[in-house]
Amino acid sequence: IEEITKLMAAYEEHLDSLQRLDELVALFTKDARFEISIHGEAGTQEVPLGTYEGREAIRSLLSQMNPKTLSYCAHLVTNPIIDVDGEKARGRWYLLCLFTALRHEGPIAMWEQGTYDNEFVKVDGKWMIKLMRFAFNFSTSYQDGWAKMKMKGT
């Protein structure tokens, strides 16, 4: 459980650096998958945004977070629930992300919140990310907040 906790912390740290893409992608298995979706309003289904299969596809996705698009980023993960079964594991976390988006009209303070529901495997004695599922609950500017600007699954 502690090794998986550290793996997720390394993922967030590398992601927030906006520059450590090689180290970030190396946390995933060669055949890993990354799924992104949006949670809908209460009673609606989750809406898929994209599935990225293999390290190169994941690299392409994560490379969008860089110093040209963001000037600050802090992924805060909380409430871990981790279940280990031999050399496989599953973990769930809440995410609150604070970041500064660089837009043509100038920098904008942003909030994002969602959940990770991941699967891990041990490869050569080391835990790696096999499946990363992230579902947004909201993504909004600091000024608008989540009450005014919700992401809707309809």
Side-chain angles (χ1 to χ4, degrees):
I1 289 172
E2 185 63 24
E3 290 173 8
I4 292 168
T5 300
K6 287 181 179 180
L7 174 59
M8 275 301 288
Y11 168 81
E12 303 300 350
E13 181 182 336
H14 296 340
L15 194 59
D16 289 344
S17 77
L18 304 175
Q19 299 175 21
R20 296 167 69 183
L21 191 56
D22 289 338
E23 292 170 78
L24 180 60
V25 173
L27 301 175
F28 291 84
T29 62
K30 291 179 183 177
D31 62 344
R33 196 168 74 237
F34 198 130
E35 299 173 359
I36 302 173
S37 62
I38 300 171
H39 283 296
E41 294 290 325
T44 64
Q45 290 186 325
E46 205 168 280
V47 176
L49 292 177
T51 298
Y52 303 84
E53 297 196 35
R55 280 187 179 159
E56 287 312 307
I58 292 169
R59 173 186 296 279
S60 178
L61 168 68
L62 298 176
S63 70
Q64 296 173 38
M65 295 187 62
N66 64 64
K68 293 178 183 175
T69 61
L70 304 169
S71 65
Y72 171 77
C73 193
H75 286 78
L76 310 173
V77 290
T78 66
N79 304 50
I81 299 172
I82 301 169
D83 295 308
V84 178
D85 183 11
E87 299 208 338
K88 294 181 180 182
R90 188 169 188 154
R92 184 173 165 83
W93 290 260
Y94 286 112
L95 167 74
L96 177 61
C97 184
L98 315 163
F99 65 98
T100 304
L102 301 176
R103 305 274 171 83
H104 67 277
E105 64 271 15
I108 299 172
M110 299 285 293
W111 300 94
E112 285 183 345
Q113 196 280 319
T115 55
Y116 286 109
D117 184 6
N118 300 342
E119 295 178 13
F120 304 90
V121 294
K122 218 169 203 184
V123 177
D124 298 326
K126 180 180 173 183
W127 286 103
M128 300 186 79
I129 302 165
K130 174 77 171 170
L131 171 61
M132 181 165 279
R133 287 187 202 97
F134 181 74
F136 284 100
N137 286 323
F138 63 80
S139 181
T140 186
S141 72
Y142 173 79
Q143 291 80 7
D144 287 339
W146 53 86
K148 289 184 184 177
M149 189 70 148
K150 295 181 182 176
M151 293 181 83
K152 298 187 181 197
T154 56

